[in-house]
Amino acid sequence: MDDTSPVPPAQPALPQADGPAEAPRAAPPEAALSTGAVARRLGVSPTTVRSWERRYAIGPAHREDGRHRRWTPQDIARLELMCRLTAQGVPPAEAARTALGGAGEPPGPAEAPAPASDEAPGGPGGGLPLGPVRPECRGLSRAAVRLDAPTVAELLDAALAEHGLVTAWEEVMAPTLHAVGRKWATAGERYVEVEHLLSWHVSQALHRVRPRPAPPHTPPVLLACVPGEQHTLPVEALNAALGERGIPTRMFGAALPAEALHDAVRRTGPRAVVLWAQSRATADQALARSLARIEWGLRGARTQSALLLAGPGWGAGAPVPGSVRLHGLRSAVAVIAAQAPPPAGSAAAGAAPGAYGS
C-alpha cells in the first residue's frame, strides 16, 4: 500500500559519544553462484564452463573452502562476454583473451558491445523474443541459437529433473519453441535450423521420460493429430505426462488418416480420444463428429469414448456436441485423469485387435 502521510521533518543530529569512532561496516559480499547455476544461466553445459576455466584461465577469482567454485557477478560478466563473442563466431581462445583483458575496464566508444537484449544475437535470449521467462528458458534459447546440441539436450534433461514434466513443458520448452517460431515467421528462412534442432531435442527429451506401469486391463487414451497436421510436440508432451502418471496411451503421431483413426478407436476401445489440430485449416469438425458417434463393445453393453479436442485450431469453445476442449498441458492431464474408464469387464479391456464393431 502506498504511504501518503507527510514526510516528518529531519531530526537533529545526535551528539557523538566520546571515544574512538566506530569503524564503518563492510559491505555484504555479493551473491555468488555455483558452476551449475552459471551454466544454466548462460545456456552452456557445466563441462563447457570448467573447460573454459581450465584452458583459458577465465575461472572465478576466488574459491570457497573445499575448492568449490563460486562465481561472482564480475566473473559471470566475463563469461557472458565470452558467450556473446563465441556466438558471433569469435574463436574461444580469442574471446577469452578479450573478456579477460576488458575485466574491470569499460570498453572504448568504438568497441563498446551492444547492450544485451533478447533480440541481440548474443543477448540473454540468444536473439529470440522471449519476454519475461525463467532463466533456464534463456539458457536453452542461447544453446539452440548456437546449434549446441549437447547443451540443448543437457538443459532439457535438467529442466525435467528439476521442475517436473508439466512445469518444464509450460515454462521452459514451450516458451522457447514459441519464440523460435515467432523469430522464424519474422526473419524469412533464418532460424529454420534452430527450430528443427530444438524441436528434435525436445521430442527426444519427452521420449526419455519413463512411464509408470499401468494397472492391467486399463483402457488407454488414444492420442492423434488430425489428417494433414504435422505439429506433434504438444501431443508428445501430453503422452509423456500421462505415462508419468500411469495412464496408458496409444500415440499415433502426425497426420493420421481418417479411416485409420476410426479403425484405431474401434480396435482399442479407448477411455478417451484426444485430437490435436494446430490450425483451423486442419481442424476437421466432420471427422470429430464421426468419431463421437463410434460405439464399441459387446451387444447390449456398447459404449463410447470421451472426445477431447486439443490445439488452437478448434477455437475457444467445443465445436462438436458432447466434446470437451483441452487448454494447456496441466489442465489436460487433470481432465483425462478424471475421465472414468469403461467397466473392467467390458470387451474393450484387453480385447484382441479387430474385436469391435462400428
PDB file of all heavy atoms in Angstrom, residues 283-321:
ATOM      1  N   ALA A 283      -8.441 -28.454 -38.577  1.00  0.00           N
ATOM      2  CA  ALA A 283      -9.451 -28.859 -37.586  1.00  0.00           C
ATOM      3  C   ALA A 283     -10.709 -29.337 -38.309  1.00  0.00           C
ATOM      4  O   ALA A 283     -11.563 -28.542 -38.689  1.00  0.00           O
ATOM      5  CB  ALA A 283      -9.763 -27.706 -36.645  1.00  0.00           C
ATOM      6  N   ASP A 284     -10.827 -30.630 -38.493  1.00  0.00           N
ATOM      7  CA  ASP A 284     -11.922 -31.240 -39.265  1.00  0.00           C
ATOM      8  C   ASP A 284     -13.073 -31.578 -38.313  1.00  0.00           C
ATOM      9  O   ASP A 284     -13.059 -32.603 -37.629  1.00  0.00           O
ATOM     10  CB  ASP A 284     -11.402 -32.495 -39.961  1.00  0.00           C
ATOM     11  CG  ASP A 284     -12.392 -33.065 -40.946  1.00  0.00           C
ATOM     12  OD1 ASP A 284     -13.601 -32.773 -40.826  1.00  0.00           O
ATOM     13  OD2 ASP A 284     -11.960 -33.827 -41.837  1.00  0.00           O
ATOM     14  N   GLN A 285     -14.085 -30.724 -38.298  1.00  0.00           N
ATOM     15  CA  GLN A 285     -15.206 -30.947 -37.381  1.00  0.00           C
ATOM     16  C   GLN A 285     -16.049 -32.154 -37.798  1.00  0.00           C
ATOM     17  O   GLN A 285     -16.598 -32.855 -36.938  1.00  0.00           O
ATOM     18  CB  GLN A 285     -16.074 -29.694 -37.314  1.00  0.00           C
ATOM     19  CG  GLN A 285     -15.352 -28.499 -36.717  1.00  0.00           C
ATOM     20  CD  GLN A 285     -16.274 -27.327 -36.456  1.00  0.00           C
ATOM     21  OE1 GLN A 285     -17.488 -27.493 -36.338  1.00  0.00           O
ATOM     22  NE2 GLN A 285     -15.706 -26.137 -36.365  1.00  0.00           N
ATOM     23  N   ALA A 286     -16.146 -32.402 -39.101  1.00  0.00           N
ATOM     24  CA  ALA A 286     -16.894 -33.571 -39.550  1.00  0.00           C
ATOM     25  C   ALA A 286     -16.240 -34.857 -39.045  1.00  0.00           C
ATOM     26  O   ALA A 286     -16.922 -35.800 -38.617  1.00  0.00           O
ATOM     27  CB  ALA A 286     -16.992 -33.578 -41.069  1.00  0.00           C
ATOM     28  N   LEU A 287     -14.921 -34.905 -39.085  1.00  0.00           N
ATOM     29  CA  LEU A 287     -14.207 -36.059 -38.560  1.00  0.00           C
ATOM     30  C   LEU A 287     -14.453 -36.208 -37.061  1.00  0.00           C
ATOM     31  O   LEU A 287     -14.696 -37.323 -36.568  1.00  0.00           O
ATOM     32  CB  LEU A 287     -12.707 -35.906 -38.838  1.00  0.00           C
ATOM     33  CG  LEU A 287     -11.785 -36.933 -38.176  1.00  0.00           C
ATOM     34  CD1 LEU A 287     -12.100 -38.332 -38.682  1.00  0.00           C
ATOM     35  CD2 LEU A 287     -10.327 -36.576 -38.424  1.00  0.00           C
ATOM     36  N   ALA A 288     -14.409 -35.108 -36.337  1.00  0.00           N
ATOM     37  CA  ALA A 288     -14.638 -35.170 -34.898  1.00  0.00           C
ATOM     38  C   ALA A 288     -16.048 -35.668 -34.588  1.00  0.00           C
ATOM     39  O   ALA A 288     -16.247 -36.490 -33.677  1.00  0.00           O
ATOM     40  CB  ALA A 288     -14.406 -33.792 -34.272  1.00  0.00           C
ATOM     41  N   ARG A 289     -17.036 -35.204 -35.344  1.00  0.00           N
ATOM     42  CA  ARG A 289     -18.408 -35.664 -35.110  1.00  0.00           C
ATOM     43  C   ARG A 289     -18.550 -37.158 -35.388  1.00  0.00           C
ATOM     44  O   ARG A 289     -19.244 -37.881 -34.658  1.00  0.00           O
ATOM     45  CB  ARG A 289     -19.387 -34.865 -35.974  1.00  0.00           C
ATOM     46  CG  ARG A 289     -19.653 -33.448 -35.466  1.00  0.00           C
ATOM     47  CD  ARG A 289     -20.830 -32.829 -36.179  1.00  0.00           C
ATOM     48  NE  ARG A 289     -20.536 -32.598 -37.589  1.00  0.00           N
ATOM     49  CZ  ARG A 289     -20.021 -31.487 -38.075  1.00  0.00           C
ATOM     50  NH1 ARG A 289     -19.718 -30.487 -37.249  1.00  0.00           N
ATOM     51  NH2 ARG A 289     -19.783 -31.352 -39.366  1.00  0.00           N
ATOM     52  N   SER A 290     -17.885 -37.643 -36.424  1.00  0.00           N
ATOM     53  CA  SER A 290     -17.981 -39.068 -36.733  1.00  0.00           C
ATOM     54  C   SER A 290     -17.315 -39.920 -35.654  1.00  0.00           C
ATOM     55  O   SER A 290     -17.805 -41.002 -35.319  1.00  0.00           O
ATOM     56  CB  SER A 290     -17.361 -39.356 -38.107  1.00  0.00           C
ATOM     57  OG  SER A 290     -15.957 -39.160 -38.067  1.00  0.00           O
ATOM     58  N   LEU A 291     -16.221 -39.425 -35.100  1.00  0.00           N
ATOM     59  CA  LEU A 291     -15.567 -40.157 -34.013  1.00  0.00           C
ATOM     60  C   LEU A 291     -16.443 -40.188 -32.765  1.00  0.00           C
ATOM     61  O   LEU A 291     -16.479 -41.186 -32.030  1.00  0.00           O
ATOM     62  CB  LEU A 291     -14.224 -39.526 -33.685  1.00  0.00           C
ATOM     63  CG  LEU A 291     -13.105 -39.699 -34.717  1.00  0.00           C
ATOM     64  CD1 LEU A 291     -11.888 -38.875 -34.321  1.00  0.00           C
ATOM     65  CD2 LEU A 291     -12.720 -41.156 -34.857  1.00  0.00           C
ATOM     66  N   ALA A 292     -17.143 -39.086 -32.512  1.00  0.00           N
ATOM     67  CA  ALA A 292     -18.003 -39.026 -31.330  1.00  0.00           C
ATOM     68  C   ALA A 292     -19.149 -40.028 -31.403  1.00  0.00           C
ATOM     69  O   ALA A 292     -19.700 -40.417 -30.368  1.00  0.00           O
ATOM     70  CB  ALA A 292     -18.548 -37.609 -31.160  1.00  0.00           C
ATOM     71  N   ARG A 293     -19.507 -40.459 -32.613  1.00  0.00           N
ATOM     72  CA  ARG A 293     -20.622 -41.405 -32.769  1.00  0.00           C
ATOM     73  C   ARG A 293     -20.194 -42.864 -32.705  1.00  0.00           C
ATOM     74  O   ARG A 293     -21.047 -43.756 -32.680  1.00  0.00           O
ATOM     75  CB  ARG A 293     -21.335 -41.143 -34.098  1.00  0.00           C
ATOM     76  CG  ARG A 293     -22.080 -39.819 -34.166  1.00  0.00           C
ATOM     77  CD  ARG A 293     -23.006 -39.790 -35.363  1.00  0.00           C
ATOM     78  NE  ARG A 293     -22.274 -39.861 -36.624  1.00  0.00           N
ATOM     79  CZ  ARG A 293     -21.889 -38.803 -37.325  1.00  0.00           C
ATOM     80  NH1 ARG A 293     -22.165 -37.577 -36.883  1.00  0.00           N
ATOM     81  NH2 ARG A 293     -21.237 -38.936 -38.467  1.00  0.00           N
ATOM     82  N   ILE A 294     -18.897 -43.135 -32.704  1.00  0.00           N
ATOM     83  CA  ILE A 294     -18.435 -44.526 -32.718  1.00  0.00           C
ATOM     84  C   ILE A 294     -18.781 -45.207 -31.395  1.00  0.00           C
ATOM     85  O   ILE A 294     -18.508 -44.675 -30.315  1.00  0.00           O
ATOM     86  CB  ILE A 294     -16.914 -44.599 -32.973  1.00  0.00           C
ATOM     87  CG1 ILE A 294     -16.578 -44.116 -34.378  1.00  0.00           C
ATOM     88  CG2 ILE A 294     -16.405 -46.023 -32.767  1.00  0.00           C
ATOM     89  CD1 ILE A 294     -15.102 -44.134 -34.698  1.00  0.00           C
ATOM     90  N   GLU A 295     -19.375 -46.375 -31.504  1.00  0.00           N
ATOM     91  CA  GLU A 295     -19.647 -47.207 -30.329  1.00  0.00           C
ATOM     92  C   GLU A 295     -18.847 -48.488 -30.458  1.00  0.00           C
ATOM     93  O   GLU A 295     -18.595 -48.972 -31.560  1.00  0.00           O
ATOM     94  CB  GLU A 295     -21.137 -47.540 -30.226  1.00  0.00           C
ATOM     95  CG  GLU A 295     -22.010 -46.335 -29.954  1.00  0.00           C
ATOM     96  CD  GLU A 295     -23.471 -46.736 -29.815  1.00  0.00           C
ATOM     97  OE1 GLU A 295     -23.829 -47.861 -30.249  1.00  0.00           O
ATOM     98  OE2 GLU A 295     -24.256 -45.940 -29.282  1.00  0.00           O
ATOM     99  N   TRP A 296     -18.442 -49.045 -29.305  1.00  0.00           N
ATOM    100  CA  TRP A 296     -17.684 -50.274 -29.335  1.00  0.00           C
ATOM    101  C   TRP A 296     -18.046 -51.107 -28.115  1.00  0.00           C
ATOM    102  O   TRP A 296     -18.649 -50.626 -27.158  1.00  0.00           O
ATOM    103  CB  TRP A 296     -16.173 -50.002 -29.371  1.00  0.00           C
ATOM    104  CG  TRP A 296     -15.727 -48.871 -28.492  1.00  0.00           C
ATOM    105  CD1 TRP A 296     -15.513 -47.580 -28.833  1.00  0.00           C
ATOM    106  CD2 TRP A 296     -15.473 -48.945 -27.081  1.00  0.00           C
ATOM    107  NE1 TRP A 296     -15.139 -46.827 -27.763  1.00  0.00           N
ATOM    108  CE2 TRP A 296     -15.091 -47.649 -26.669  1.00  0.00           C
ATOM    109  CE3 TRP A 296     -15.515 -49.961 -26.137  1.00  0.00           C
ATOM    110  CZ2 TRP A 296     -14.767 -47.346 -25.355  1.00  0.00           C
ATOM    111  CZ3 TRP A 296     -15.180 -49.662 -24.832  1.00  0.00           C
ATOM    112  CH2 TRP A 296     -14.810 -48.374 -24.452  1.00  0.00           C
ATOM    113  N   GLY A 297     -17.704 -52.359 -28.164  1.00  0.00           N
ATOM    114  CA  GLY A 297     -18.029 -53.265 -27.068  1.00  0.00           C
ATOM    115  C   GLY A 297     -19.034 -54.313 -27.505  1.00  0.00           C
ATOM    116  O   GLY A 297     -19.457 -54.378 -28.668  1.00  0.00           O
ATOM    117  N   LEU A 298     -19.454 -55.158 -26.579  1.00  0.00           N
ATOM    118  CA  LEU A 298     -20.388 -56.233 -26.874  1.00  0.00           C
ATOM    119  C   LEU A 298     -21.803 -55.685 -27.042  1.00  0.00           C
ATOM    120  O   LEU A 298     -22.153 -54.639 -26.490  1.00  0.00           O
ATOM    121  CB  LEU A 298     -20.363 -57.264 -25.744  1.00  0.00           C
ATOM    122  CG  LEU A 298     -19.025 -57.986 -25.514  1.00  0.00           C
ATOM    123  CD1 LEU A 298     -19.121 -58.891 -24.303  1.00  0.00           C
ATOM    124  CD2 LEU A 298     -18.641 -58.774 -26.758  1.00  0.00           C
ATOM    125  N   ARG A 299     -22.611 -56.420 -27.783  1.00  0.00           N
ATOM    126  CA  ARG A 299     -24.007 -56.025 -27.946  1.00  0.00           C
ATOM    127  C   ARG A 299     -24.679 -55.995 -26.584  1.00  0.00           C
ATOM    128  O   ARG A 299     -24.512 -56.885 -25.769  1.00  0.00           O
ATOM    129  CB  ARG A 299     -24.735 -57.003 -28.862  1.00  0.00           C
ATOM    130  CG  ARG A 299     -24.256 -56.973 -30.297  1.00  0.00           C
ATOM    131  CD  ARG A 299     -25.088 -57.880 -31.181  1.00  0.00           C
ATOM    132  NE  ARG A 299     -24.586 -57.885 -32.552  1.00  0.00           N
ATOM    133  CZ  ARG A 299     -24.873 -56.959 -33.454  1.00  0.00           C
ATOM    134  NH1 ARG A 299     -25.665 -55.953 -33.124  1.00  0.00           N
ATOM    135  NH2 ARG A 299     -24.376 -57.038 -34.676  1.00  0.00           N
ATOM    136  N   GLY A 300     -25.465 -54.945 -26.363  1.00  0.00           N
ATOM    137  CA  GLY A 300     -26.129 -54.775 -25.093  1.00  0.00           C
ATOM    138  C   GLY A 300     -25.284 -54.061 -24.052  1.00  0.00           C
ATOM    139  O   GLY A 300     -25.795 -53.686 -23.001  1.00  0.00           O
ATOM    140  N   ALA A 301     -23.991 -53.888 -24.330  1.00  0.00           N
ATOM    141  CA  ALA A 301     -23.104 -53.189 -23.386  1.00  0.00           C
ATOM    142  C   ALA A 301     -22.153 -52.280 -24.148  1.00  0.00           C
ATOM    143  O   ALA A 301     -20.993 -52.118 -23.778  1.00  0.00           O
ATOM    144  CB  ALA A 301     -22.338 -54.188 -22.545  1.00  0.00           C
ATOM    145  N   ARG A 302     -22.646 -51.700 -25.232  1.00  0.00           N
ATOM    146  CA  ARG A 302     -21.789 -50.849 -26.061  1.00  0.00           C
ATOM    147  C   ARG A 302     -21.617 -49.487 -25.406  1.00  0.00           C
ATOM    148  O   ARG A 302     -22.502 -48.994 -24.709  1.00  0.00           O
ATOM    149  CB  ARG A 302     -22.366 -50.724 -27.470  1.00  0.00           C
ATOM    150  CG  ARG A 302     -22.407 -52.072 -28.186  1.00  0.00           C
ATOM    151  CD  ARG A 302     -23.189 -52.019 -29.480  1.00  0.00           C
ATOM    152  NE  ARG A 302     -22.460 -51.362 -30.551  1.00  0.00           N
ATOM    153  CZ  ARG A 302     -21.495 -51.932 -31.255  1.00  0.00           C
ATOM    154  NH1 ARG A 302     -21.122 -53.175 -30.983  1.00  0.00           N
ATOM    155  NH2 ARG A 302     -20.903 -51.293 -32.230  1.00  0.00           N
ATOM    156  N   THR A 303     -20.476 -48.887 -25.625  1.00  0.00           N
ATOM    157  CA  THR A 303     -20.178 -47.598 -25.011  1.00  0.00           C
ATOM    158  C   THR A 303     -19.387 -46.750 -25.994  1.00  0.00           C
ATOM    159  O   THR A 303     -19.101 -47.193 -27.121  1.00  0.00           O
ATOM    160  CB  THR A 303     -19.395 -47.796 -23.699  1.00  0.00           C
ATOM    161  OG1 THR A 303     -19.252 -46.528 -23.052  1.00  0.00           O
ATOM    162  CG2 THR A 303     -18.019 -48.387 -23.967  1.00  0.00           C
ATOM    163  N   GLN A 304     -19.071 -45.540 -25.582  1.00  0.00           N
ATOM    164  CA  GLN A 304     -18.342 -44.590 -26.423  1.00  0.00           C
ATOM    165  C   GLN A 304     -17.171 -44.006 -25.647  1.00  0.00           C
ATOM    166  O   GLN A 304     -17.158 -44.004 -24.412  1.00  0.00           O
ATOM    167  CB  GLN A 304     -19.272 -43.458 -26.883  1.00  0.00           C
ATOM    168  CG  GLN A 304     -20.390 -43.897 -27.805  1.00  0.00           C
ATOM    169  CD  GLN A 304     -21.353 -42.759 -28.084  1.00  0.00           C
ATOM    170  OE1 GLN A 304     -21.960 -42.222 -27.173  1.00  0.00           O
ATOM    171  NE2 GLN A 304     -21.489 -42.408 -29.349  1.00  0.00           N
ATOM    172  N   SER A 305     -16.209 -43.501 -26.402  1.00  0.00           N
ATOM    173  CA  SER A 305     -15.072 -42.821 -25.792  1.00  0.00           C
ATOM    174  C   SER A 305     -15.389 -41.338 -25.612  1.00  0.00           C
ATOM    175  O   SER A 305     -16.143 -40.752 -26.399  1.00  0.00           O
ATOM    176  CB  SER A 305     -13.832 -42.963 -26.675  1.00  0.00           C
ATOM    177  OG  SER A 305     -13.559 -44.303 -26.974  1.00  0.00           O
ATOM    178  N   ALA A 306     -14.789 -40.738 -24.591  1.00  0.00           N
ATOM    179  CA  ALA A 306     -14.856 -39.284 -24.459  1.00  0.00           C
ATOM    180  C   ALA A 306     -14.025 -38.662 -25.586  1.00  0.00           C
ATOM    181  O   ALA A 306     -12.925 -39.125 -25.889  1.00  0.00           O
ATOM    182  CB  ALA A 306     -14.324 -38.858 -23.104  1.00  0.00           C
ATOM    183  N   LEU A 307     -14.552 -37.632 -26.212  1.00  0.00           N
ATOM    184  CA  LEU A 307     -13.842 -36.948 -27.298  1.00  0.00           C
ATOM    185  C   LEU A 307     -13.287 -35.644 -26.756  1.00  0.00           C
ATOM    186  O   LEU A 307     -14.037 -34.753 -26.330  1.00  0.00           O
ATOM    187  CB  LEU A 307     -14.776 -36.674 -28.471  1.00  0.00           C
ATOM    188  CG  LEU A 307     -14.145 -35.930 -29.657  1.00  0.00           C
ATOM    189  CD1 LEU A 307     -12.993 -36.732 -30.256  1.00  0.00           C
ATOM    190  CD2 LEU A 307     -15.195 -35.616 -30.721  1.00  0.00           C
ATOM    191  N   LEU A 308     -11.968 -35.503 -26.774  1.00  0.00           N
ATOM    192  CA  LEU A 308     -11.276 -34.335 -26.232  1.00  0.00           C
ATOM    193  C   LEU A 308     -10.532 -33.641 -27.364  1.00  0.00           C
ATOM    194  O   LEU A 308      -9.683 -34.257 -28.020  1.00  0.00           O
ATOM    195  CB  LEU A 308     -10.304 -34.753 -25.128  1.00  0.00           C
ATOM    196  CG  LEU A 308     -10.881 -35.675 -24.043  1.00  0.00           C
ATOM    197  CD1 LEU A 308      -9.788 -36.070 -23.051  1.00  0.00           C
ATOM    198  CD2 LEU A 308     -12.049 -35.029 -23.335  1.00  0.00           C
ATOM    199  N   LEU A 309     -10.850 -32.380 -27.601  1.00  0.00           N
ATOM    200  CA  LEU A 309     -10.269 -31.619 -28.710  1.00  0.00           C
ATOM    201  C   LEU A 309      -9.194 -30.689 -28.161  1.00  0.00           C
ATOM    202  O   LEU A 309      -9.462 -29.869 -27.276  1.00  0.00           O
ATOM    203  CB  LEU A 309     -11.359 -30.824 -29.433  1.00  0.00           C
ATOM    204  CG  LEU A 309     -12.522 -31.662 -29.972  1.00  0.00           C
ATOM    205  CD1 LEU A 309     -13.544 -30.767 -30.651  1.00  0.00           C
ATOM    206  CD2 LEU A 309     -12.021 -32.746 -30.922  1.00  0.00           C
ATOM    207  N   ALA A 310      -7.984 -30.806 -28.700  1.00  0.00           N
ATOM    208  CA  ALA A 310      -6.841 -30.034 -28.208  1.00  0.00           C
ATOM    209  C   ALA A 310      -6.204 -29.263 -29.349  1.00  0.00           C
ATOM    210  O   ALA A 310      -6.228 -29.709 -30.500  1.00  0.00           O
ATOM    211  CB  ALA A 310      -5.811 -30.967 -27.557  1.00  0.00           C
ATOM    212  N   GLY A 311      -5.624 -28.129 -29.020  1.00  0.00           N
ATOM    213  CA  GLY A 311      -4.930 -27.329 -30.016  1.00  0.00           C
ATOM    214  C   GLY A 311      -5.723 -26.099 -30.407  1.00  0.00           C
ATOM    215  O   GLY A 311      -6.959 -26.085 -30.360  1.00  0.00           O
ATOM    216  N   PRO A 312      -5.027 -25.031 -30.825  1.00  0.00           N
ATOM    217  CA  PRO A 312      -5.702 -23.763 -31.152  1.00  0.00           C
ATOM    218  C   PRO A 312      -6.593 -23.845 -32.382  1.00  0.00           C
ATOM    219  O   PRO A 312      -7.441 -22.974 -32.581  1.00  0.00           O
ATOM    220  CB  PRO A 312      -4.535 -22.794 -31.382  1.00  0.00           C
ATOM    221  CG  PRO A 312      -3.368 -23.667 -31.723  1.00  0.00           C
ATOM    222  CD  PRO A 312      -3.556 -24.933 -30.960  1.00  0.00           C
ATOM    223  N   GLY A 313      -6.429 -24.860 -33.213  1.00  0.00           N
ATOM    224  CA  GLY A 313      -7.238 -24.962 -34.418  1.00  0.00           C
ATOM    225  C   GLY A 313      -8.722 -25.117 -34.159  1.00  0.00           C
ATOM    226  O   GLY A 313      -9.548 -24.746 -34.998  1.00  0.00           O
ATOM    227  N   TRP A 314      -9.093 -25.658 -32.997  1.00  0.00           N
ATOM    228  CA  TRP A 314     -10.509 -25.907 -32.705  1.00  0.00           C
ATOM    229  C   TRP A 314     -11.235 -24.664 -32.211  1.00  0.00           C
ATOM    230  O   TRP A 314     -12.461 -24.692 -32.046  1.00  0.00           O
ATOM    231  CB  TRP A 314     -10.638 -27.010 -31.660  1.00  0.00           C
ATOM    232  CG  TRP A 314     -10.087 -28.333 -32.088  1.00  0.00           C
ATOM    233  CD1 TRP A 314      -8.959 -28.940 -31.633  1.00  0.00           C
ATOM    234  CD2 TRP A 314     -10.630 -29.221 -33.073  1.00  0.00           C
ATOM    235  NE1 TRP A 314      -8.759 -30.142 -32.251  1.00  0.00           N
ATOM    236  CE2 TRP A 314      -9.781 -30.342 -33.151  1.00  0.00           C
ATOM    237  CE3 TRP A 314     -11.752 -29.181 -33.905  1.00  0.00           C
ATOM    238  CZ2 TRP A 314     -10.006 -31.406 -34.022  1.00  0.00           C
ATOM    239  CZ3 TRP A 314     -11.988 -30.239 -34.768  1.00  0.00           C
ATOM    240  CH2 TRP A 314     -11.121 -31.336 -34.821  1.00  0.00           C
ATOM    241  N   GLY A 315     -10.532 -23.575 -31.941  1.00  0.00           N
ATOM    242  CA  GLY A 315     -11.188 -22.383 -31.418  1.00  0.00           C
ATOM    243  C   GLY A 315     -11.369 -22.466 -29.918  1.00  0.00           C
ATOM    244  O   GLY A 315     -10.903 -23.385 -29.250  1.00  0.00           O
ATOM    245  N   ALA A 316     -12.109 -21.479 -29.376  1.00  0.00           N
ATOM    246  CA  ALA A 316     -12.223 -21.360 -27.922  1.00  0.00           C
ATOM    247  C   ALA A 316     -13.197 -22.365 -27.324  1.00  0.00           C
ATOM    248  O   ALA A 316     -12.959 -22.931 -26.271  1.00  0.00           O
ATOM    249  CB  ALA A 316     -12.646 -19.938 -27.555  1.00  0.00           C
ATOM    250  N   GLY A 317     -14.333 -22.594 -27.974  1.00  0.00           N
ATOM    251  CA  GLY A 317     -15.355 -23.472 -27.412  1.00  0.00           C
ATOM    252  C   GLY A 317     -15.210 -24.896 -27.895  1.00  0.00           C
ATOM    253  O   GLY A 317     -14.212 -25.282 -28.507  1.00  0.00           O
ATOM    254  N   ALA A 318     -16.243 -25.698 -27.594  1.00  0.00           N
ATOM    255  CA  ALA A 318     -16.281 -27.087 -28.062  1.00  0.00           C
ATOM    256  C   ALA A 318     -17.140 -27.142 -29.318  1.00  0.00           C
ATOM    257  O   ALA A 318     -18.375 -27.070 -29.232  1.00  0.00           O
ATOM    258  CB  ALA A 318     -16.845 -27.993 -26.975  1.00  0.00           C
ATOM    259  N   PRO A 319     -16.540 -27.239 -30.497  1.00  0.00           N
ATOM    260  CA  PRO A 319     -17.311 -27.154 -31.742  1.00  0.00           C
ATOM    261  C   PRO A 319     -18.159 -28.383 -32.034  1.00  0.00           C
ATOM    262  O   PRO A 319     -19.012 -28.332 -32.909  1.00  0.00           O
ATOM    263  CB  PRO A 319     -16.227 -26.972 -32.811  1.00  0.00           C
ATOM    264  CG  PRO A 319     -15.022 -27.637 -32.238  1.00  0.00           C
ATOM    265  CD  PRO A 319     -15.106 -27.428 -30.754  1.00  0.00           C
ATOM    266  N   VAL A 320     -17.920 -29.467 -31.341  1.00  0.00           N
ATOM    267  CA  VAL A 320     -18.655 -30.712 -31.583  1.00  0.00           C
ATOM    268  C   VAL A 320     -19.475 -31.035 -30.340  1.00  0.00           C
ATOM    269  O   VAL A 320     -18.928 -31.071 -29.233  1.00  0.00           O
ATOM    270  CB  VAL A 320     -17.679 -31.863 -31.909  1.00  0.00           C
ATOM    271  CG1 VAL A 320     -18.435 -33.170 -32.081  1.00  0.00           C
ATOM    272  CG2 VAL A 320     -16.876 -31.539 -33.156  1.00  0.00           C
ATOM    273  N   PRO A 321     -20.786 -31.246 -30.473  1.00  0.00           N
ATOM    274  CA  PRO A 321     -21.606 -31.558 -29.302  1.00  0.00           C
ATOM    275  C   PRO A 321     -21.060 -32.774 -28.543  1.00  0.00           C
ATOM    276  O   PRO A 321     -20.705 -33.782 -29.142  1.00  0.00           O
ATOM    277  CB  PRO A 321     -22.983 -31.856 -29.909  1.00  0.00           C
ATOM    278  CG  PRO A 321     -22.993 -31.099 -31.206  1.00  0.00           C
ATOM    279  CD  PRO A 321     -21.581 -31.158 -31.707  1.00  0.00           C
TER     280      PRO A 321
END
